[in-house]
Amino acid sequence: MYGTVSSVYVCRDSNTHRSLGRGYVNYQNAVDAQRALELNYSTIKGRPCHVTWSQPDPALRKVAQGKLYVGNLDEQINEKALHDTFARFGNVLFCQIGTDDQGASFTTRRL
């Protein structure tokens, strides 16, 4: 739909071979990949997905330039709202609200 895909890779657990809920899509050109970024926060099979550029160089991935931890979030916040809030200050590559195995936000989990 967005261009010619050269390859797709789904990350899987090495023991169970179950999907880890993430993967990679390689397009034949950067323009098509840029258009596919429009899928960010869209729903695929009932789950919101996150689409961002992949950084293939492990040395660059370890550099946490501008990486933020945000705590004490309101129980009603979702990842789209978090993204939109911080997008006013610059380009947000990825944001995620931590959840437990049942999908409950760490910010709303009752101990």
Side-chain angles (χ1 to χ4, degrees):
M1 180 166 138
Y2 291 92
T4 305
V5 173
S6 358
S7 65
V8 175
Y9 176 76
V10 175
C11 299
R12 298 187 179 278
D13 180 276
S14 59
N15 294 322
T16 65
H17 302 288
R18 292 181 61 193
S19 170
L20 294 173
R22 62 182 179 270
Y24 299 91
V25 178
N26 294 310
Y27 284 90
Q28 286 189 350
N29 65 64
V31 173
D32 293 342
Q34 179 69 43
R35 280 198 312 260
L37 290 174
E38 295 172 13
L39 288 170
N40 198 20
Y41 295 109
S42 63
T43 302
I44 298 176
K45 292 197 172 195
R47 296 188 63 178
C49 68
H50 303 286
V51 180
T52 188
W53 290 107
S54 171
Q55 178 51 264
D57 184 343
L60 294 176
R61 280 196 306 260
K62 292 180 182 176
V63 177
Q65 294 179 343
K67 186 173 186 176
L68 301 174
Y69 167 80
V70 181
N72 199 29
L73 296 170
D74 183 274
E75 292 182 7
Q76 302 305 312
I77 191 113
N78 62 25
E79 289 163 347
K80 173 92 170 94
L82 185 65
H83 176 277
D84 292 348
T85 299
F86 282 88
R88 294 182 292 167
F89 302 101
N91 186 30
V92 176
L93 296 178
F94 179 77
C95 72
Q96 179 178 16
I97 295 176
T99 58
D100 61 18
D101 292 339
Q102 286 74 41
S105 168
F106 289 141
T107 62
T108 61
R109 185 177 59 186
R110 303 288 186 235
L111 300 176

